Amino acid sequence: MSGPDRRRDGVSQDARVKDGGEVTQIAGDQIITHHHHYYPLGGAAPATVDRVRVGVVPRLADCFQERAGAEPVRAAADDGSTVVLPQASTQVATRVLAGMGGVGKTQLAAAYARHAWEQGIEVLVWVEAASRDMVISAYADAALRLGLPSADREDPERSAREFLIWAETTTRRWLVVLDDVCSPGDMRGLWPMAVSTTGTAEASGGCPGESLDGSSCGEVMVTTRLRNAALAATSRCVIEVAIFTEEEARCYLSARLADRAADPVQVDALARDLGYLPLALAQAAAYMLNTDLDCAAYRRLLDTRLLHRVLPNQQDLPDDHERIVAATWELSIGQADRAHPAGLARSVLSLISFMDPAGIPQAVLTSPPVLEYLVGHLPEISHGWEVDAEAVDEVLRVLHRHSLIDHKRTALYLEIRVHQLVQRATRESFIAQPELGSTLFAELVHVAAEALLSVWPGNHQDFSSQQFSTTLRANTAALHSSSGAILWERNNQGHPVLFHAANSLGHAGRVAAAHTANAELRATAQRIFGPDHPDVLTARYNCATWQGGLGDMAGAAGELQQLLTDRQRILGPDHPDTLNTKGNLAYCRGKAGDAAGAASLFEEMLTYFIRRHGPDHPSTQNARHNLAHWRGEAGDASGAATALEQLLADRLRILGPDDPSTLNTRHYLARWRGEAGDASGAATALEQLLADQLRILGPDDPSTLNTRHYLARWRGEAGDASGAATALEQLLADQLRILDPGHLHTSNTRRSLAYWRGQASRE
């Protein structure tokens, strides 16, 4: 492609003659050139051929960049040929440059058009194609400029038809660029015909005419934000124009900013901040040049100011830009909002604007909180419509067709992607509505938070659930980052999704990250609410829990002892959170080596629960279970087994044989039988339990996997070390399929497998 537009003293230097001849140049972009030595394809040399250029071809940006992925356009511009589609041998004379607003489609088309003009194209028509009337007007101008006999200035439609007839029948080489087609319907009946040198004429919207050597007299280039099937006929080459690559962005900023781009780290960081969007980079560079800022200083402004405050004013826009980047997508949003189902696109995009641009699960946008919100925000004319998951899917396809998002149904948990500046511009649009902007902004944030929380999987161990949780955590982090303090402002508390996301790290085996995340939540809550707020106490509890998960049980017990004192003072001794803290303190004391102290605390809790709730209450039953376990850990294995036998009888009576609590009691009863010396009895009991768990819970449930681990152990303790090793090998294979390789349970299985392999080698 050609480089930047070259002008001298206001006179265009675009037209030039390769083989000699006379050229008349006219200042500006409307040019007629007389060229006496140009021979049209397949025709005899005329005495005089007037080269005609209609419409204003945008001048190329300073430091115009070659683009990765635009090879079909570049190749066709270089050799004047039509494009060969990769999936067939068919040659096409229509190229559709599609992509989101701001990626540089018009610049690529302008570079192609200017190069074609330099190569000797005879007629170049640049059409601002945002509406049907604009297309007709441009065609009419072309007909008049060509001097077609039936062209009539007073009848644009007739003149447009004359131009289309001329394009179909001429042997002269022509190029029509339709810039910014907003609706395929606007082009109905207005597609120029591609004419080959043999006289074959077919619509470029259908199958282009081809000469014997494969060349075509007419070419059409389209730029559009639409991804529409009507624009993607098999005879058209659709070229997706993407954002700059990292290297393209670096080269552009370095060339444009010169010494202000001296720090390559800051240059790359600025490119990332602006999402490698060509329009944003161009306008940011213009602002920096106007205000004499380097990349680091501009990035600081970008972090603290609204987008439109760190871009040029309308009158200072560079390179013939018509609007600032923050307004680039408004036309597309308006069109999408009018598409069926009308009135939903803007609301859905607004929710998307708060989440992770790298991938948003579609399940979040079809969750009950979102559907309820959309029903409440439908325009009056749409009331009565059913807003369901299918309707939201339609809206996502509409947003995709308008290049506002990328929607790919097969990308599990990452079905929706969006450019970060589209998100930012959408969020900042609320500030332009002072009467309801802040209220709507806060409402959207809390709807997004409720939606994320509502779809969070309850099973922490399943690999698919872990993948989903990872994506939900990324979206929660993006929501928190994009919404400021809003998630801490409703009902005088932090939104539960923040705490859920932090704890999900620990459930995924990332215990240190869970501890750090909860420590950050504690600091934020304490700064906003003070030290005695329930959120601060919750974060302290979570920090202590994950501290224990890191192996520091004594430290965790110390934290929980202080928290218990504070919760008793603030909430009272009977509050559920106080009792929960006491139970976790007992557990950590036991794991830290003070089994007797743990048993003593659970005995206190059992006395309280019997008095408060009676013998059959779940809290009473749980206290009995924990007391029996820690008595066993304190050295009384037989007593623990006896207590669990009595508890199992009560749980069978109260809950039935298939309740998870009943199954759990059976597991611990088997363990303490083994610890009391009956390894064979423990193995037999666990075999029976495993059969029931497979039936009730399934093979991948954490409890089922845990039973398999202990069954292997007690088989080994009963004398079958080889059988234990084999069972653990099979368990490890399943855990690696289900869990993260670094998960605590996987690591424990590896250690046990190594031990029993060693024991088996001695048999």
Side-chain angles (χ1 to χ4, degrees), residues 587-642:
Y587 172 81
C588 288
R589 276 187 179 170
K591 294 301 260 183
D594 184 10
S600 177
L601 281 173
F602 279 119
E603 193 167 11
E604 289 179 17
M605 295 179 70
L606 177 59
T607 301
Y608 169 83
F609 286 134
I610 290 174
R611 185 179 72 252
R612 181 70 179 265
H613 301 301
D616 290 347
H617 191 273
S619 296
T620 306
Q621 301 281 311
N622 290 338
R624 287 175 64 188
H625 179 102
N626 288 319
L627 175 57
H629 172 76
W630 288 109
R631 279 180 173 167
E633 292 286 357
D636 187 7
S638 297
T642 300

Side-chain angles (χ1 to χ4, degrees), residues 372-584:
E372 183 179 346
Y373 169 81
L374 293 176
V375 168
H377 285 77
L378 277 174
E380 193 65 35
I381 58 171
S382 301
H383 281 181
W385 285 11
E386 184 176 1
V387 179
D388 53 14
E390 185 176 339
V392 172
D393 185 72
E394 281 190 61
V395 172
L396 294 173
R397 296 311 300 170
V398 168
L399 291 169
H400 175 85
R401 286 197 298 274
H402 286 81
S403 296
L404 290 163
I405 66 170
D406 289 316
H407 180 223
K408 189 175 182 180
R409 294 191 183 99
T410 57
L412 185 64
Y413 307 139
L414 300 170
E415 293 93 338
I416 300 139
R417 296 176 186 265
V418 60
H419 194 278
Q420 64 203 58
L421 290 188
V422 173
Q423 292 184 299
R424 181 167 174 175
T426 302
R427 293 194 304 268
E428 291 183 0
S429 68
F430 298 114
I431 297 169
Q433 310 173 62
E435 67 284 356
L436 82 147
S438 60
T439 302
L440 183 57
F441 192 99
E443 183 177 13
L444 285 164
V445 168
H446 281 276
V447 169
E450 290 295 327
L452 289 166
L453 191 59
S454 72
V455 299
W456 218 296
N459 184 349
H460 304 305
Q461 307 298 332
D462 175 74
F463 180 69
S464 177
S465 296
Q466 287 190 23
Q467 283 185 300
F468 193 19
S469 293
T470 298
T471 304
L472 293 174
R473 281 195 299 274
N475 277 271
T476 301
L479 175 64
H480 198 193
S481 174
S482 63
S483 62
I486 290 177
L487 286 174
W488 294 92
E489 292 176 351
R490 181 170 291 187
N491 300 325
N492 194 39
Q493 65 179 19
H495 196 282
V497 75
L498 299 173
F499 296 89
H500 197 87
N503 288 328
S504 76
L505 287 164
H507 296 312
R510 298 176 58 191
V511 177
H515 183 272
T516 300
N518 276 287
E520 291 171 354
L521 291 175
R522 172 184 176 176
T524 301
Q526 186 159 326
R527 174 175 52 79
I528 296 173
F529 303 123
D532 290 347
H533 190 275
D535 281 353
V536 177
L537 302 179
T538 296
R540 287 175 60 188
Y541 177 87
N542 292 338
C543 282
T545 298
W546 297 119
Q547 185 174 353
L550 288 168
D552 183 11
M553 288 296 178
E559 292 291 332
L560 288 167
Q561 182 62 69
Q562 295 176 22
L563 177 61
L564 179 61
T565 301
D566 289 338
R567 277 186 158 167
Q568 287 174 330
R569 171 178 57 84
I570 298 166
L571 304 175
D574 296 343
H575 192 280
D577 288 348
T578 304
L579 296 170
N580 198 32
T581 303
K582 194 171 188 177
N584 204 8

Side-chain angles (χ1 to χ4, degrees), residues 77-94:
D78 287 340
D79 61 19
S81 67
T82 52
V83 173
V84 179
L85 291 174
Q87 67 269 28
S89 60
T90 304
Q91 291 178 307
V92 297
T94 299

